[in-house]
Amino acid sequence: MATNRGQFNSRLGFVLAAAGSAVGLGNIWKFPFEVGAGGGAAFVLIYLAFCFLLCFPVMVSEIAIGRKTQLNAVGAFKKLGHHNWAWIGFLGVLAGVLILSFYNVVAGWAFGYFLEMSQGNFDFGSVEKFVGFTADWEHIFIYGIVFMGITALIVSKGIQGGIEKAAKILMPTLFAMIIGLMIYSFTLSDAMAGVSYYLVPDFSEITGEVIYSALGQAFFSLSLGMGALITYGSYVSRKQDIVRSAAMITLTDVSVAFLAGLMIFPFVAFLNAGDMSSVSGGPGLIFMTLPGVFESLGPLLGKIVGAVFFLLLSFAALTSTVSLLEVPVAYLVDEKKIKRPVAVWSMAIIIFAIGIPSLLSYGASDTLSSFVNLFKADADGVLKETALPFLDFVELIASDTFLPLGGTFIAIFTAYVWKKNNLNAELMEGRETQSQWLSKYIDFAIMFICPVVLGAITIITILERFFGIQVF
Ligand code: TRP
């Protein structure tokens, strides 16, 4: 039975595919900025602690649930618990559909920028020009269709021939591009001003808000909370060591995020001649500031470096869109007995359609561009009522609310429904080392730390963002 569903061919293949899911837009544009805004190395330390202390046990649980049941997110909860628990899986499938609907739009921008840079068009250095690009919906539509099409093509070829093969090509290429660009950025003048802005710790900037956003970022970046790793885990062989694989996935994700910052800040420092005081965060950095940096490298070098950068961003996004699409596809294949290619192409079309309002919400449609008034922290951390584009609204619901909510219930389910003895028995299969303290820690975290902390994050997010009640 399991063989019909497909299986990863090797541990490396699984680790690369899961790390590919984790490494994405979150690592390359969000992480460096949060580090810059949140006190440099002090933020990195907090982020690392969250990844390993809080997120790692959830990751291990997701993979174990998947491998034990050899089923998609919905089927897995039904099989281990009860029909009543299937809703966690449905919530995950829904989160995957919604996240992919807007993520594909941003991935399409990255792909569009790749085309612009390779033609030597660097003229994006202001909000108007960036929005000029995103509001040009005919182009954005095509980029979105191309990106979803490539994603669907990979997923339609199955686990070994599609997802694993793509990860084995894309991930090493991505690593090589990051290292190459980082080395090059170090040779630019004022590079060290960028590095020290990024890395010198400033503990005074660590506030409740910073800690809370570090946690949300860690969780999103590791692709947790919606059963993506339950789904990938269902294709893992019983001979593999889950704990060790999860450690490798976490390390890869953290390393890529860290290196992305080391590559980006020297570029920014070069553009600003070492003055980092006016550096701003948000999507602006990647889509508005960096094209100016590439332009200043000269016409030929700028084209090459700029094109490589946005190709890298597109590759990072592609291994993530693949994992997002695989979640609903696996559900349709296992539970509804739909053939993989049919499931893949129909889901891709539906999700693209759901993403159309997001696609039009950065300038093309006025109504969608300021869709709802919700609360967002300003530069000083004060909550302000802000008109959010439709895309940001979907992100708030799916990534910021559903994922920590799903994570809370995955931890509760693992600890109190499936139970720690069953988790530990699954982790023993293929285990290469017998580390008692690590198993004890995972048990403790999944029973107490993860449900409490993730539950608190969910509640704080809802209070702050939807109701404007300032918790931090
Ligand atoms: N982790 C990805 C990023 O950092 C986003 C992502 C891909 C994701 N698949 C996911 C997030 C599944 C949550 C769940 O860009």
Side-chain angles (χ1 to χ4, degrees):
M1 194 183 84
T3 46
N4 293 339
R5 299 177 72 251
Q7 200 173 57
F8 289 110
N9 186 31
S10 62
R11 175 164 90 188
L12 182 69
F14 164 60
V15 169
L16 286 178
S21 165
V23 171
L25 299 168
N27 302 58
I28 298 173
W29 65 256
K30 233 166 142 200
F31 180 79
F33 271 92
E34 300 212 329
V35 175
F43 180 95
V44 177
L45 288 177
I46 294 177
Y47 180 80
L48 276 176
F50 282 143
C51 281
F52 283 98
L53 295 179
L54 193 102
C55 297
F56 177 72
V58 178
M59 181 183 288
V60 166
S61 305
E62 282 204 27
I63 300 173
I65 290 173
R67 189 177 70 175
K68 174 74 191 172
T69 57
Q70 310 267 300
L71 285 171
N72 66 93
V74 176
F77 287 106
K78 272 192 202 160
K79 185 162 176 185
L80 290 185
H82 192 269
H83 277 259
N84 288 346
W85 287 94
W87 68 269
I88 309 181
F90 279 115
L91 185 74
V93 172
L94 181 64
V97 166
L98 292 177
I99 293 175
L100 182 54
S101 78
F102 75 79
Y103 200 93
N104 185 64
V105 173
V106 183
W109 298 346
F111 178 68
Y113 264 62
F114 161 69
L115 299 178
E116 299 284 352
M117 297 297 125
S118 34
Q119 289 158 29
N121 178 15
F122 303 107
D123 195 13
F124 296 103
S126 68
V127 180
E128 290 71 34
K129 286 178 176 158
F130 169 61
V131 174
F133 172 85
T134 56
D136 175 8
W137 67 270
E138 283 108 332
H139 278 101
I140 301 298
F141 226 80
I142 295 172
Y143 302 146
I145 289 177
V146 169
F147 214 91
M148 187 66 89
I150 299 174
T151 304
L153 200 64
I154 294 172
V155 177
S156 72
K157 296 208 183 304
I159 307 310
Q160 266 183 39
I163 296 176
E164 180 167 356
K165 199 167 161 194
K168 279 183 165 165
I169 298 168
L170 294 173
M171 291 303 285
T173 317
L174 181 131
F175 257 113
M177 289 193 286
I178 288 200
I179 304 277
L181 286 180
M182 187 183 81
I183 292 173
Y184 175 69
S185 77
F186 278 9
T187 66
L188 297 171
S189 58
D190 296 311
M192 283 308 128
V195 173
S196 62
Y197 171 81
Y198 183 51
L199 290 183
V200 174
D202 178 357
F203 287 95
S204 69
E205 284 189 42
I206 299 298
T207 58
E209 171 72 30
V210 168
I211 294 176
Y212 154 75
S213 50
L215 237 177
Q217 168 67 8
F219 207 69
F220 177 80
S221 178
L222 291 169
S223 297
L224 297 174
M226 52 157 273
L229 289 174
I230 294 179
T231 309
Y232 274 15
S234 74
Y235 307 122
V236 169
S237 124
R238 307 210 86 83
K239 297 198 200 80
Q240 276 191 47
D241 185 335
I242 290 181
V243 175
R244 183 172 288 205
S245 302
M248 287 162 67
I249 295 161
T250 306
L251 264 180
T252 308
D253 185 58
V254 170
S255 313
V256 170
F258 185 71
L259 291 177
L262 272 185
M263 153 187 78
I264 286 170
F265 285 104
F267 277 131
V268 178
F270 169 69
L271 184 73
N272 295 336
D275 175 15
M276 300 300 281
S277 57
S278 62
V279 174
S280 67
L285 187 84
I286 292 285
F287 289 110
M288 298 182 329
T289 310
L290 286 183
V293 176
F294 302 140
E295 180 168 32
S296 64
L297 301 176
L300 181 64
L301 204 56
K303 265 190 206 173
I304 296 171
V305 176
V308 170
F309 178 83
F310 284 101
L311 190 62
L312 173 145
L313 195 61
S314 305
F315 280 9
L318 184 57
T319 45
S320 299
T321 53
V322 160
S323 86
L324 286 161
L325 184 58
E326 179 60 25
V327 173
V329 164
Y331 163 69
L332 292 178
V333 169
D334 290 345
E335 305 295 304
K336 305 287 171 204
K337 311 288 174 228
I338 295 176
K339 288 209 164 55
R340 174 169 282 270
V342 179
V344 168
W345 290 103
S346 49
M347 268 334 281
I349 291 168
I350 292 169
I351 295 172
F352 181 81
I354 296 175
I356 290 175
S358 295
L359 194 148
L360 299 175
S361 74
Y362 266 69
S365 149
D366 289 341
T367 316
L368 292 168
S369 302
S370 42
F371 182 70
V372 274
N373 283 336
L374 286 168
F375 299 87
K376 210 174 175 168
D378 68 8
D380 299 321
V382 181
L383 286 179
K384 285 236 170 68
E385 198 162 355
T386 317
L388 295 184
F390 191 83
L391 189 153
D392 297 48
F393 174 65
V394 181
E395 180 183 13
L396 174 57
I397 292 186
S399 321
D400 299 352
T401 312
F402 285 4
L403 295 184
L405 183 68
T408 309
F409 281 98
I410 290 172
I412 292 175
F413 178 88
T414 307
Y416 303 103
V417 180
W418 191 31
K419 300 220 174 1
K420 68 173 191 209
N421 294 345
N422 292 317
L423 170 69
N424 290 330
E426 185 59 33
L427 297 181
M428 283 315 291
E429 299 247 357
R431 191 94 174 87
E432 288 162 15
T433 53
Q434 311 267 352
S435 160
Q436 278 300 317
W437 67 267
L438 186 57
S439 308
K440 287 216 169 71
Y441 178 73
I442 292 174
D443 289 347
F444 178 75
I446 212 73
M447 290 173 80
F448 304 108
I449 307 178
C450 301
V452 171
V453 179
L454 290 169
I457 293 217
T458 315
I459 293 167
I460 293 171
T461 304
I462 294 172
L463 289 178
E464 289 207 339
R465 305 292 308 275
F466 291 95
F467 296 102
I469 299 169
Q470 186 117 29
V471 178
F472 288 120

